[in-house]
Amino acid sequence: MVSGVENNNLLNNHSLHVGVLYPPNELHKPVLYSHSEADRQFKQLEKDIYQTEKSQKFENKRKTPLSVFMTIFAAAIGTGYLVFKKAMKW
């Protein structure tokens, strides 16, 4: 009876491959903004995001196809003809 499976990959490969990490040349220096500058940049960012979302809406991308208008027009003419025909019988 076999209680397990041998892992030949671990037995044959004794050296582990480890990547080399390079430290950064300098640390990131945070930039401090005044309240008015930060508020102005935040409003600009918010405006840009809103305009992008608004331009990506379906209503702004697609126009109503001409076939929809033609179908509605044909249905209106057909209904008008039937109503006119019914009115002439009275």
Side-chain angles (χ1 to χ4, degrees):
M1 174 177 240
V2 178
S3 62
V5 178
E6 293 181 20
N7 190 349
N8 293 331
N9 192 21
L10 282 178
L11 296 175
N12 295 335
N13 193 3
H14 294 292
S15 64
L16 296 175
H17 299 288
V18 179
V20 178
L21 297 176
Y22 296 104
N25 292 337
E26 58 187 36
L27 295 176
H28 174 70
K29 196 172 193 179
V31 179
L32 298 177
Y33 294 100
S34 67
H35 178 69
S36 59
E37 178 67 24
D39 193 38
R40 184 171 38 252
Q41 287 186 5
F42 181 76
K43 285 182 181 179
Q44 179 65 35
L45 181 66
E46 193 176 45
K47 180 182 170 188
D48 292 343
I49 290 172
Y50 176 72
Q51 286 177 348
T52 304
E53 283 181 354
K54 189 175 178 184
S55 68
Q56 295 297 323
K57 285 186 178 178
F58 177 75
E59 294 86 15
N60 296 332
K61 284 186 170 182
R62 305 270 186 227
K63 293 184 178 179
T64 305
L66 184 62
S67 61
V68 173
F69 289 122
M70 292 176 67
T71 304
I72 292 172
F73 183 70
I77 288 178
T79 305
Y81 176 73
L82 290 175
V83 169
F84 181 72
K85 191 174 177 183
K86 186 77 169 180
M88 291 305 282
K89 283 187 179 180
W90 283 17

